[in-house]
């Protein structure tokens, strides 16, 4: 109802059935490519201790300073500050340490799909509750792993038919030591120039100077043209690592654009950083990004352990799919509507509906007490391909009427012939069936 008293909270949205079809399609593409590449699924709690994100992401990032949702623990004796997770990586690294995954064969490859929360300013394509798919490779530093991760993401976007709308931007931001030296040089350069910076960037100069590089402010970009560059402070090892990665991407025929201004907004990144930008609007509508975080596990209390990850926005991917005219396939069509008249007919229809569903026929019906004519209109609204009509006379005669809704033709058949007839008309290959079996059965079942 348009004048409903209660609405979704600001910055959130209901994921209605049409969008669920896209979400399911994306999840299937992600799971398929993840399994091919040896990633295993992990789900972490939706809320975590605040300090995990402060230590991992950085206290002076926008996420930690402005965007964390605090979780009240009034019903608990615990005094820790909990927040809704704003991203996956820090949580997954916490799980890696907590569950001693360093004892498993390295690297450990994990993926997640689920909701995240940021108290961001709501705007087009940006929500306070949103969904991402996430990949992490933890335990080994090798440019070939960076390349393989990027290749998996590229294949997913190609599967979803949006890759041509995207452009891979890539950079190397060096080690934390080289970045620190660059930050000091950047601060020195801006001495006496602070007054020319917009307020938002003047604050960043104090708290997180690297964020100046990807500032959207025109005045800042003009000043940066004469500033020291991060590339000047990279070690030979970082340059060699980056050149090796680019050679792998070239070998794999993955197009990329080198972008020396790309830094990403989180403190934990080292070496490789990359994003998939909207080909037409650039960084403003990036669908996802990631990079290497070789110091994060240690920051969270583990042993020094390298890692690389990627997070892709599902809502932004759906937007691109719709813009590209991609129709998400689905199995939500109604095959058969069962109409009935009278208590005895309704009773018989219940078993008929159940048997059809068990065979993989999408079936609804036996609804209310409306006339057969009214029920046929209802079947039309549901888009049913066939309708089975059972009235009082048919119950007495042991028959049922089968109506082809598109052709407008119908025939009377014996009731025991109804199920095999419907199965034949639909075709066995079009039936929606699944089987739950144990591990040895090798039968795949759709997940969330």
């Amino acid at each position: 109802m348009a004048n409903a008293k209660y609405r979704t909270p600001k910055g959130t949205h209901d994921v209605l059935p049409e969008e669920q079809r896209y979400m399911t399609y994306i999840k299937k593409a992600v799971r398929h490519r993840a399994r091919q590449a040896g990633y295993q699924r992990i789900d972490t709690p939706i809320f975590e201790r605040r300090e995990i994100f402060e230590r991992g992401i950085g206290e002076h990032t926008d996420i930690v300073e402005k965007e964390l949702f605090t979780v009240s623990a009034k019903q608990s004796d615990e005094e820790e500050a909990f927040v809704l997770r704003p991203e996956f990586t820090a949580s997954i690294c916490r799980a890696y340490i907590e569950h001693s995954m360093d004892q498993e064969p390295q690297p450990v490859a994990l993926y997640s799909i689920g909701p995240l929360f940021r108290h961001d300013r709501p705007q087009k394509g940006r929500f306070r509750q949103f969904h991402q798919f996430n990949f992490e490779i933890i335990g080994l530093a090798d440019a070939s792993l960076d390349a393989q991760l990027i290749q998996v993401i590229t294949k997913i976007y190609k599967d979803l038919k949006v890759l041509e709308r995207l452009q891979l931007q890539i950079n190397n931001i060096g080690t934390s030591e080289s970045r620190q030296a660059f930050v000091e040089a950047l601060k020195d350069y801006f001495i006496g120039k602070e007054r020319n910076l917009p307020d938002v960037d003047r604050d960043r100069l104090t708290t997180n100077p690297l964020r100046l590089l990807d500032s959207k402010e025109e005045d800042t970009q003009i000043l940066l043209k004469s500033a020291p560059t991060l590339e000047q402070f990279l070690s030979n090892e970082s340059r060699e690592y980056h050149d090796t990665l680019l050679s792998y991407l070239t070998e794999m025929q993955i197009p990329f654009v080198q972008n020396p201004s790309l830094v990403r907004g989180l403190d934990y990144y080292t070496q490789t950083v990359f994003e998939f930008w909207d080909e037409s609007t650039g960084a403003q509508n990036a669908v996802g990004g990631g990079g290497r975080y070789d110091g994060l596990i240690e920051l969270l209390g583990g042993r020094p352990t390298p890692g690389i990850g990627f997070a892709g926005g599902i809502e932004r991917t759906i937007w691109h799919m719709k813009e590209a005219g991609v129709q998400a396939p689905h199995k939500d069509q109604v095959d058969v509507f069962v109409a009935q008249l009278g208590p005895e007919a309704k009773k018989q229809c219940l078993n008929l509906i159940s048997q059809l569903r068990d065979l993989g026929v999408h079936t609804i019906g036996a609804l209310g007490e409306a006339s057969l004519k009214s029920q046929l209109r209802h079947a039309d609204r549901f888009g049913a391909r066939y309708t089975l009509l059972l009235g009082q006379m048919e119950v007495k005669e042991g028959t049922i009427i089968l109506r082809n809704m598109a052709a407008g033709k119908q025939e009377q058949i014996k009731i025991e012939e109804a199920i095999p007839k419907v199965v034949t008309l639909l075709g066995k290959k079009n039936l929606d069936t699944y089987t739950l079996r144990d591990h040895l059965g090798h039968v795949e079942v759709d997940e969330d």
Side-chain angles (χ1 to χ4, degrees), residues 7 15 18 114 119 147 173 178 185 222 236 277 282 295 318 327 403:
R7 296 176 180 271
V15 184
E18 182 198 358
H119 199 276
I173 59 172
S178 59
I222 290 171
N236 290 334
W277 285 9
I318 291 172
Q327 295 289 322
R403 182 178 180 85

Side-chain angles (χ1 to χ4, degrees), residues 31 76 212 230 295:
R31 289 199 308 269
S76 168
L212 295 176
L230 178 55

